[in-house]
Amino acid sequence: MSDRAPPAIDAHIVALPETAGSALYGMVDVLASTGTLWRELAGEEPGHRLIRPLIVSPSTHPFRCGNGIPVSPDISIEQAREPDIVILPELWLAPTDDLGGRYAEVKDWIRRCHRRGSTIYTACSGSVLLAATGLLDGLPATSHWGYQDLFRRSFPAVRFNPEPNLVIADAGARIVTAGGTTSWHDLALHIIARHCSPGEALRIAKVYLLKWHGEGQLPYANLVRRQPHADAVARRAEEWLARHLREPHAVAGVVESCGIPERSLKRRFKAATGTTLIGHVQNLRIEEAKRLLESDGRSADEIAAIVGYDNPAFFRRLFKRSTGLTPGAYRRMFSPMSGAAARD
């Protein structure tokens, strides 16, 4: 019997000029600590590394990624051979940038790795790169909530869901996408739990103070996003509703203000913004309620009335559906941040 430790699992982390350095190097640090760091800090017998992260890029030439952070790739995609794990971390992308026409060789390599058995993981906008390979077509996926309109326009075959922090796309769990920005924490813990052990994932979470975002992305999402479109009437409706969101009959009011039949306005508004007229009103009101819960001491029932709902029970149901939290839970989650900012 040999006492030699089993070889570490190879995890290739893709780095491009658009890559977010914090996500890239955060993932490298956390995965490289598996099997060793907890033991060292706890004064236990030395362990051995369980995952070996390597930075892979189109070439091994050093470059700077997002915010000018230097990157020295360990290997090129030409040198990479069938890694166990491929990770596509967050990219600094505009919410309209679908990477069309760029990184063809990287996309080919990702498809090749998947064919040969690699498990593909993405964090935040890394799923945009994966969607551009076609591997997400017909599958459920998530990313940062700010990219849901990009997926709707550029990747309609992807069953995009902006709510969860983690989505396993296929029955074999060989494609896993994580939500926005710091969801790479959740992804790292998932990778460690799956490829090492749940116990090791828990130890790493304790070492790095990593939090599992079990509440998903809904509490963090901005429900109202200005969409680029050329429909002047729909734009006028958006602007009118932003000023009059608290009025009890806002839909009737905006129809009168725009001066076209209600059915026509509803059709044009949905085509231009991707949201129904009543859905937009509700989103505006919930965003206003969130702002008040973060900074105002009034009760949820009072806030419901302020934003235009005379039925507190309906408001609470709508708020929970829109944010994933009750008004009270939302206040507990976010009002300490507002308080700290005010004290500063």
Side-chain angles (χ1 to χ4, degrees), residues 96-343:
T96 55
D97 186 354
D98 61 7
L99 291 170
R102 308 205 304 277
Y103 301 121
E105 73 278 23
V106 176
K107 296 170 189 174
D108 286 342
W109 177 76
I110 294 168
R111 285 189 286 262
R112 191 161 62 248
C113 287
H114 186 259
R115 283 197 305 271
R116 293 174 177 175
S118 300
T119 301
I120 314 295
Y121 296 98
T122 76
C124 193
S125 47
S127 63
V128 176
L129 177 58
L130 185 59
T133 69
L135 288 174
L136 283 177
D137 287 356
L139 298 177
T142 193
S143 182
H144 192 286
W145 51 263
Y147 292 97
Q148 57 186 301
D149 298 306
L150 181 149
F151 272 82
R152 177 171 58 87
R153 290 190 304 269
S154 298
F155 308 113
V158 179
R159 289 151 48 198
F160 186 83
N161 185 352
E163 299 180 13
N165 63 326
L166 212 67
V167 170
I168 297 174
D170 57 326
R174 290 189 47 231
I175 294 179
V176 179
T177 58
T181 313
T182 56
S183 66
W184 72 261
H185 298 180
D186 305 67
L187 186 63
L189 293 176
H190 173 81
I191 290 170
I192 296 166
R194 179 180 179 185
H195 295 274
C196 303
S197 72
E200 183 61 19
L202 182 58
R203 288 187 284 271
I204 288 294
K206 289 179 178 179
V207 168
Y208 284 96
L209 277 67
L210 298 181
K211 176 185 177 295
W212 182 262
H213 295 89
E215 70 278 1
Q217 294 192 84
L218 278 181
Y220 305 90
N222 185 353
L223 300 174
V224 180
R225 297 177 309 283
R226 188 177 178 89
Q227 297 300 314
H229 62 78
D231 192 319
V233 173
R235 184 67 71 204
R236 192 186 320 150
E238 289 178 285
E239 292 169 353
W240 189 94
L241 288 170
R243 296 192 302 270
H244 301 273
L245 67 98
R246 298 182 179 192
E247 294 187 8
H249 303 291
V251 172
V254 74
V255 170
E256 182 179 353
S257 173
C258 290
I260 66 171
E262 180 174 348
R263 186 173 179 179
S264 297
L265 179 60
K266 287 180 175 179
R267 175 180 53 78
R268 289 176 63 170
F269 192 89
K270 177 68 184 302
T273 68
T275 306
T276 64
L277 204 54
I278 186 61
H280 187 70
V281 173
Q282 291 174 339
N283 288 342
L284 285 167
R285 289 175 172 176
I286 294 300
E287 281 298 322
E288 178 69 1
K290 286 160 64 177
R291 185 186 66 79
L292 292 171
L293 287 165
E294 292 162 7
S295 59
D296 193 294
R298 280 175 283 197
S299 70
D301 288 0
E302 291 175 294
I303 289 173
I306 289 170
V307 301
Y309 293 111
D310 56 8
N311 183 335
F314 175 80
F315 166 74
R316 290 172 184 276
R317 288 195 300 272
L318 178 62
F319 192 93
K320 177 72 182 294
R321 190 177 75 215
S322 301
T323 68
L325 299 173
T326 65
Y330 183 90
R331 171 173 272 157
R332 288 190 294 274
M333 186 171 183
F334 289 104
S335 62
M337 300 182 197
S338 299
R343 288 193 294 273

Side-chain angles (χ1 to χ4, degrees), residues 61-74:
H61 297 303
F63 65 94
R64 292 184 179 272
C65 67
N67 288 329
I69 296 172
V71 178
S72 294
D74 297 302

